[in-house]
Amino acid sequence: MATDEAAAPVKRPRVTAEREREVPTATLQALGDTGYEALSMDDVAARAHCSKATLYRLWRTKAGLVSAAVRSSGPVRPAEVDTGSLRGDLITVAERLARHAPEDSRLYAALSHAILTDDELASAVQTALFRPDTEHVMRFVDRAVERGELTHRPAAADFLPQTMRSLAMSRPALDGTLLDPDYLGRFIDDWVMPALLHT
């Protein structure tokens, strides 16, 4: 007959907050090294110094794990940025993109093909990164309307979030260099602001 001790469920140790913060970093490092298709829970667990079972308790699928890691490196939120001008807000976002260009470029390279072939991953990344990215940048535009900088939300604003992200993906491929603040500043002053102010 089983004893009470034998029948009692095994208590698994809880994941510490510090360890949970290490998992996204480990995931992004592994993703950059191997690409999405070759990414394994075993590799991430080894890098994060935790068990594979721990990962599966927190994230049931590889796509879920990757989307959580992508979310951890997500866009600047409107509440964190309010310079008082649309140009200032966009320059602040541009500076963040430039700071994270090395990591982001590897991330996009690792995900680009997988997003086209894996519907679960595509949905997860869109939810974690691209949709919030769009909402946040559009909020900067709406604040400019509220301040009177713009008379309305220009049609050109619809292309702004995708265009800013696409620069991080395309510049390394086109000319072998990463985004930098000067390049993004010229992009905002010479292309973005004229398009927003004159539509």
Side-chain angles (χ1 to χ4, degrees):
M1 184 173 181
T3 64
D4 290 342
E5 289 80 8
V10 176
K11 292 184 178 180
R12 297 182 175 90
R14 295 182 62 84
V15 181
T16 65
E18 180 181 3
R19 182 72 70 228
E20 191 166 348
R21 285 193 297 269
E22 290 176 359
V23 173
T25 300
T27 302
L28 293 176
Q29 289 173 345
L31 188 63
D33 290 343
T34 69
Y36 180 76
E37 288 85 352
L39 181 72
S40 71
M41 291 294 212
D42 289 304
D43 186 14
V44 174
R47 293 172 188 250
H49 308 290
C50 66
S51 70
K52 186 167 66 171
T54 294
L55 295 182
Y56 277 115
R57 283 200 300 273
L58 296 171
W59 300 281
R60 294 186 177 183
T61 66
K62 185 167 72 170
L65 171 65
V66 169
S67 68
V70 169
R71 188 182 300 112
S72 74
S73 63
V76 176
R77 289 162 176 77
E80 299 169 356
V81 177
D82 191 354
T83 65
S85 73
L86 176 57
R87 179 186 181 277
D89 292 348
L90 294 176
I91 289 290
T92 300
V93 174
E95 290 171 347
R96 185 226 179 258
L97 287 173
R99 281 198 308 273
H100 293 273
E103 301 96 323
D104 286 349
S105 295
R106 295 182 74 213
L107 174 63
Y108 299 143
L111 290 177
S112 58
H113 177 263
I115 286 175
L116 297 176
T117 59
D118 188 315
D119 291 341
E120 182 184 5
L121 176 67
S123 177
V125 172
Q126 288 164 6
T127 300
L129 182 61
F130 295 126
R131 286 175 192 161
D133 215 15
T134 297
E135 292 170 3
H136 299 156
V137 172
M138 297 306 288
R139 179 60 186 138
F140 296 146
V141 175
D142 289 341
R143 282 199 315 220
V145 175
E146 293 165 6
R147 287 192 297 258
E149 287 182 82
L150 301 173
T151 59
H152 61 285
R153 180 192 279 191
D158 292 341
F159 302 97
L160 181 56
Q162 298 94 326
T163 304
M164 291 188 73
R165 279 288 177 185
S166 69
L167 290 177
M169 302 178 192
S170 62
R171 196 179 189 208
L174 292 176
D175 61 18
T177 59
L178 297 175
L179 290 182
D180 59 75
D182 177 67
Y183 182 88
L184 284 168
R186 289 188 291 113
F187 166 70
I188 289 169
D189 287 335
D190 297 339
W191 191 87
V192 174
M193 293 306 298
L196 296 180
L197 291 171
H198 295 97
T199 58

